[in-house]
Amino acid sequence: KGKELGNGCCQHYHFDMGAQVSRRVEMEAELRIAIEEEQFILYYQPQVDFNGCIVGVEALVRWQHPGRGMIPPMEFIPAAEESGLITKLGEWVLQTACRQAKKWQDDGLPPIYMAVNLSARQFHQQNLLQVISQTIEQSGLDPQRLILEITETVAMKSAEYTTQVLQTLRSMGVQIALDDFGIGYSSLLYLKKFPVNLLKIDRSFIQDIDTEPEGGSIARAILGLAKNLQYTVVAEGVETVEQLNFLKKLQCDQMQGYIFSKPLPSAGITELLLTMLR
Ligand code: C2E
Ligand code: MG
Ligand code: MG
Ligand code: MG
């Protein structure tokens, strides 16, 4: 069809499209194998409270590619989403995270939450509730220790469905966090309809604190309203002392970011938890 127009620019465009499509097909085939061979690993990033104590970790998946080394999630989650492979991968993530949390609990380490990300497609998968309840049951983890993170965009997509699913999860004891909050253009008052426990302020607003002239005004506004609405507020991507002090002054409940720790393999978290016992 491109040829009918008979212009080189158009051909070039189609050529690129073809390359893009074949890369995606290749990536999908590789992902399929990766899931079968369990080439994934979970890293865990600490979330600390006002006093700097670890209260939870967020599970973050990485792909240990046999030829290309460690691949970050932003480079393969979209392809996994598009191909539907996220369903399988997501189940593996949930299962691995719940088992790890149970293991820390059984080893007598300080009690912490385990936060797991759910993508849009996962959130809308048919048997979501069944998979979650089965995974919790099989792992033996106390459901109160599990936090599921969804973005506001995902939550807003179909408000009725979201309310129903979140209510069921809450009745199971699971907690819900709104991830990347503030970039989805939805109003907090609207989101208040959903039974959400935690609100994670997106990293971009935390960065603003020391890079913008009026920096921190959005973080301050979100924090003020969120606290009035009784959410537990978590700041994402805290990197500097300035950001930390600003958030402490505003009584931000929890923080997560490189200033405390990068995401670590499970053994690194075990170490940190052991030092809390001493
Ligand atoms: P997210 O859920 O918002 O996770 C936070 C991301 O910010 C992580 O990136 C984390 O490493 C990074 N981060 C934390 N603190 C800092 C900081 O101080 N500075 C900077 N620059 N970055 C920080 P990561 O691990 O690359 O994950 C990126 C995204 O991929 C996640 O964003 C999440 O949306 C998605 N993702 C990760 N694991 C999973 C998973 O198991 N399932 C699904 N569906 N999505 C996942
Ligand atoms: Mg998250
Ligand atoms: Mg986030
Ligand atoms: Mg983010």
Side-chain angles (χ1 to χ4, degrees), residues 58-60 115-117 149 179-180 200 236 256:
E58 177 176 8
L60 296 158
V116 175
N117 292 285
E149 298 191 356
D179 203 355
D180 303 342
K200 300 186 78 174
E236 290 190 315
Q256 181 178 345

Side-chain angles (χ1 to χ4, degrees), residues 54 104 107-110 267-278:
I54 300 176
W104 281 323
D107 289 346
L109 294 166
I269 299 294
T270 307
E271 290 277 308
L272 288 177
L273 293 176
L274 279 171
T275 63
M276 282 172 68
L277 286 178
R278 282 182 208 129

Side-chain angles (χ1 to χ4, degrees), residues 72-101:
M74 290 327 266
E75 284 175 35
F76 63 89
I77 294 279
E81 268 289 278
E82 207 157 302
S83 60
L85 289 166
I86 191 73
T87 311
K88 265 260 172 83
L89 177 58
E91 282 174 28
W92 179 86
V93 168
L94 191 65
Q95 193 180 62
T96 307
C98 287
R99 281 186 190 158
Q100 181 60 64

Side-chain angles (χ1 to χ4, degrees), residues 74-240:
M74 290 327 266
E75 284 175 35
F76 63 89
I77 294 279
E81 268 289 278
E82 207 157 302
S83 60
L85 289 166
I86 191 73
T87 311
K88 265 260 172 83
L89 177 58
E91 282 174 28
W92 179 86
V93 168
L94 191 65
Q95 193 180 62
T96 307
C98 287
R99 281 186 190 158
Q100 181 60 64
K102 176 68 161 80
K103 187 167 184 305
W104 281 323
Q105 186 185 317
D106 289 347
D107 289 346
L109 294 166
I112 54 166
Y113 293 108
M114 173 61 76
V116 175
N117 292 285
L118 292 184
S119 70
R121 187 135 175 193
Q122 268 180 288
F123 189 70
H124 286 95
Q125 101 190 43
Q126 282 270 308
N127 58 349
L128 175 79
L129 292 168
Q130 198 186 327
V131 167
I132 292 171
S133 65
Q134 265 175 13
T135 308
I136 294 173
E137 206 170 274
Q138 281 164 8
S139 70
L141 181 70
D142 176 357
Q144 318 273 352
R145 296 258 187 117
L146 182 64
I147 297 174
L148 295 175
E149 298 191 356
I150 58 169
T151 63
E152 53 178 323
T153 319
V154 168
M156 294 282 288
K157 210 179 269 173
S158 152
E160 212 168 301
Y161 172 83
T162 300
T163 309
Q164 241 172 26
V165 170
L166 296 188
Q167 259 161 12
T168 310
L169 289 170
R170 288 294 300 279
S171 72
M172 288 162 49
V174 175
Q175 302 204 59
I176 309 296
L178 275 185
D179 203 355
D180 303 342
F181 186 79
I183 57 174
Y185 309 105
S186 40
S187 114
L188 253 181
L189 289 166
Y190 183 83
L191 289 167
K192 194 60 195 162
K193 292 203 295 199
F194 303 131
V196 165
N197 309 82
L198 303 103
L199 213 137
K200 300 186 78 174
I201 304 178
D202 190 69
R203 198 173 79 215
S204 55
F205 304 119
I206 306 305
Q207 268 169 344
D208 283 354
I209 291 169
D210 38 40
T211 56
E212 296 292 310
E214 280 302 304
S217 48
I218 295 180
R220 185 186 288 116
I222 294 176
L223 248 157
L225 190 50
K227 284 188 83 93
N228 272 326
L229 294 171
Q230 317 278 310
Y231 288 109
T232 298
V233 188
V234 186
E236 290 190 315
V238 183
E239 291 183 355
T240 69

